[in-house]
Amino acid sequence: MKKVIIGIGGASGSLYGIRLLEVLKPIEEIETHLVMSKTGRMNIGLETEYTVIEVEGLADFVHKNSNVGASIASGSFKTDCMIVAACSMKNLSGIVHSFADDLLTRAADVILKENRQLILMPRETPLHAGHCELLLKATQIGALVAPPMPALYTKPQTIDEMINHTVGRILDLAHIDSGLVDRWPGAENL
């Protein structure tokens, strides 16, 4: 059983975390653990048609962000990866500086210290030098930084198509084939 932590941080883009949960839910070999920041929970209502309760229903296990004693806060609890979608600059700063004052940043810190895969989807623009420095430090301590930037070579017609392709590529990084990605055939085949 592969255990995946989904963190929904406070940046705009909570739909990425929701779609990850939707895609992973029917896969029996994957157990999902969800943790949401206070502003991540707020953004669900501001940005989507989902309720927080509906989003929580997509996960196998839901952890309160204030519960730093949760299973996912310990390295002895075996998980395979964590995806923070979307990752706010506050979340990023807490992760980079090991300032684990809530469960989302503590779980990410544990993933890094246990040499497991941490995928951060920062959603902020424009970026100032401090943001860029944090992104660099995140990669230096072992995180993968994958901003949700839509690929246009697939000629998406809807926002859902763009979200799905991005989510599929994120799951590729986690070694999970979601079937969502239109693979690039190469220019010679066009």
Side-chain angles (χ1 to χ4, degrees), residues 124-150:
E124 184 69 62
T125 189
L127 299 169
H128 62 62
H131 297 150
C132 294
E133 188 175 290
L134 288 171
L135 292 167
L136 172 63
K137 288 181 180 178
T139 62
Q140 289 172 332
I141 62 173
L144 284 171
V145 174
M149 297 180 185

Side-chain angles (χ1 to χ4, degrees), residues 1-146:
M1 174 80 55
K2 190 169 196 160
K3 295 179 183 173
V4 178
I5 303 169
I6 301 294
I8 297 180
S12 178
S14 57
L15 187 56
Y16 290 104
I18 295 167
R19 190 62 49 86
L20 283 163
L21 290 166
E22 288 175 334
V23 170
L24 295 174
K25 182 144 184 84
I27 304 173
E28 291 181 16
E29 303 81 33
I30 295 179
E31 176 181 289
T32 56
H33 292 259
L34 172 64
V35 59
M36 294 182 279
S37 72
K38 182 175 145 183
T39 48
R41 296 170 70 85
M42 179 186 73
N43 283 346
I44 289 169
L46 293 173
E47 298 179 348
T48 76
E49 300 299 319
Y50 294 86
T51 66
V52 169
I53 291 170
E54 288 171 327
V55 173
E56 289 176 339
L58 296 170
D60 295 310
F61 296 92
V62 177
H63 305 277
K64 289 183 182 179
N65 198 33
S66 60
N67 184 8
V68 292
S71 59
I72 60 174
S74 174
S76 68
F77 185 73
K78 298 287 282 182
T79 57
D80 295 279
C81 71
M82 179 174 183
I83 304 167
V84 183
C87 183
S88 71
M89 291 299 117
K90 179 182 178 185
N91 300 140
L92 178 65
S93 183
I95 292 165
V96 165
H97 295 292
S98 303
F99 188 68
D101 68 335
D102 61 25
L103 183 58
L104 192 149
T105 53
R106 172 61 187 167
D109 193 52
V110 166
I111 291 288
L112 289 171
K113 81 178 185 70
E114 297 294 328
N115 199 28
R116 298 175 190 154
Q117 190 172 40
L118 175 63
I119 302 167
L120 304 175
M121 295 178 69
R123 231 296 309 136
E124 184 69 62
T125 189
L127 299 169
H128 62 62
H131 297 150
C132 294
E133 188 175 290
L134 288 171
L135 292 167
L136 172 63
K137 288 181 180 178
T139 62
Q140 289 172 332
I141 62 173
L144 284 171
V145 174

Side-chain angles (χ1 to χ4, degrees), residues 159-176:
I159 291 173
D160 275 349
E161 289 176 6
M162 288 190 287
I163 297 284
N164 285 342
H165 184 81
T166 299
V167 164
R169 293 291 289 131
I170 294 299
L171 290 173
D172 280 353
L173 294 174
H175 309 290
I176 299 168

